[in-house]
Amino acid sequence: MQLRSRITLIASVALISVGLGSIVAGLISRGAVEDRFEEAMTSGKQNLIRQIVQSQANMMRSATTSLTRNRAALSAIDTGNAELVGEEVRPAFNRLSAGEVVDRIRIVGQTGEILFSEPVLKGNQPYDNPVLAEASDARENTTGIVIDDDSALMVTFAFPLYQRGSYIG
């Protein structure tokens, strides 16, 4: 084989090797760029969801006084009279619903029985909502996202109710 043929062959192999190397490097970098883009999109969506949840929770938190300062409703909750609770809580729920602050409400007594629910629940399972259970157990305000009875994601804000310093629901 002549020297010229060897040089041409070596140069061709080198060019093919460089070409394949650049193709592989391009595919690797493309994958890395796509991963970074996907991560940026995910974190952006997470931040958006976090802001929406925080905004809704703040609106609901500021509306709690309509229940915590209603002495007649607190007395009805304390006695466990579901009919009276409904009469006292429904106007507050209607105001909050009309203002698009809440679209569902559940009032749960000390022992876990549902005293008032709007819309009416399909079953009588008050602790199917982990945010409600956590607020009841910890006796503190709790916020979270849960899948509700109709399989919809819901921002949930649960808070304990007290009457004269004692927990009533």
Side-chain angles (χ1 to χ4, degrees), residues 19-68:
L20 287 175
S22 66
I23 289 171
V24 170
L27 291 175
I28 290 172
S29 68
R30 180 180 178 185
V33 167
E34 287 176 356
D35 290 344
R36 281 196 311 246
F37 177 73
E38 187 175 320
E39 184 179 323
M41 290 295 294
T42 302
S43 72
K45 288 178 183 178
Q46 286 175 340
N47 287 336
L48 177 62
I49 290 171
R50 193 174 295 117
Q51 288 175 351
I52 290 170
V53 168
Q54 191 63 33
S55 169
Q56 292 296 316
N58 287 339
M59 286 174 44
M60 288 185 272
R61 187 175 290 117
S62 67
T64 60
T65 57
S66 63
L67 294 175
T68 58

Side-chain angles (χ1 to χ4, degrees), residues 26-156:
L27 291 175
I28 290 172
S29 68
R30 180 180 178 185
V33 167
E34 287 176 356
D35 290 344
R36 281 196 311 246
F37 177 73
E38 187 175 320
E39 184 179 323
M41 290 295 294
T42 302
S43 72
K45 288 178 183 178
Q46 286 175 340
N47 287 336
L48 177 62
I49 290 171
R50 193 174 295 117
Q51 288 175 351
I52 290 170
V53 168
Q54 191 63 33
S55 169
Q56 292 296 316
N58 287 339
M59 286 174 44
M60 288 185 272
R61 187 175 290 117
S62 67
T64 60
T65 57
S66 63
L67 294 175
T68 58
R69 294 191 180 172
N70 184 342
R71 292 178 191 242
L74 293 175
S75 295
I77 293 168
D78 192 27
T79 60
N81 186 342
E83 190 174 309
L84 187 57
V85 171
E87 290 175 12
E88 293 297 331
V89 173
R90 189 171 309 280
F93 170 72
N94 289 340
R95 277 192 311 275
L96 295 174
S97 179
E100 297 183 355
V101 175
V102 298
D103 59 356
R104 297 169 191 220
I105 190 170
R106 289 185 192 166
I107 305 292
V108 179
Q110 283 181 336
T111 59
E113 76 279 5
I114 295 178
L115 300 175
F116 177 77
S117 178
E118 188 67 38
V120 178
L121 289 174
K122 297 172 189 165
N124 191 14
Q125 306 237 352
Y127 290 106
D128 61 345
N129 183 328
V131 176
L132 183 61
E134 183 179 336
S136 179
D137 293 341
R139 306 279 200 267
E140 61 185 28
N141 296 350
T142 308
T143 304
I145 299 176
V146 296
I147 298 175
D148 208 9
D149 299 333
D150 58 358
S151 301
L153 283 176
M154 301 293 291
V155 176
T156 304

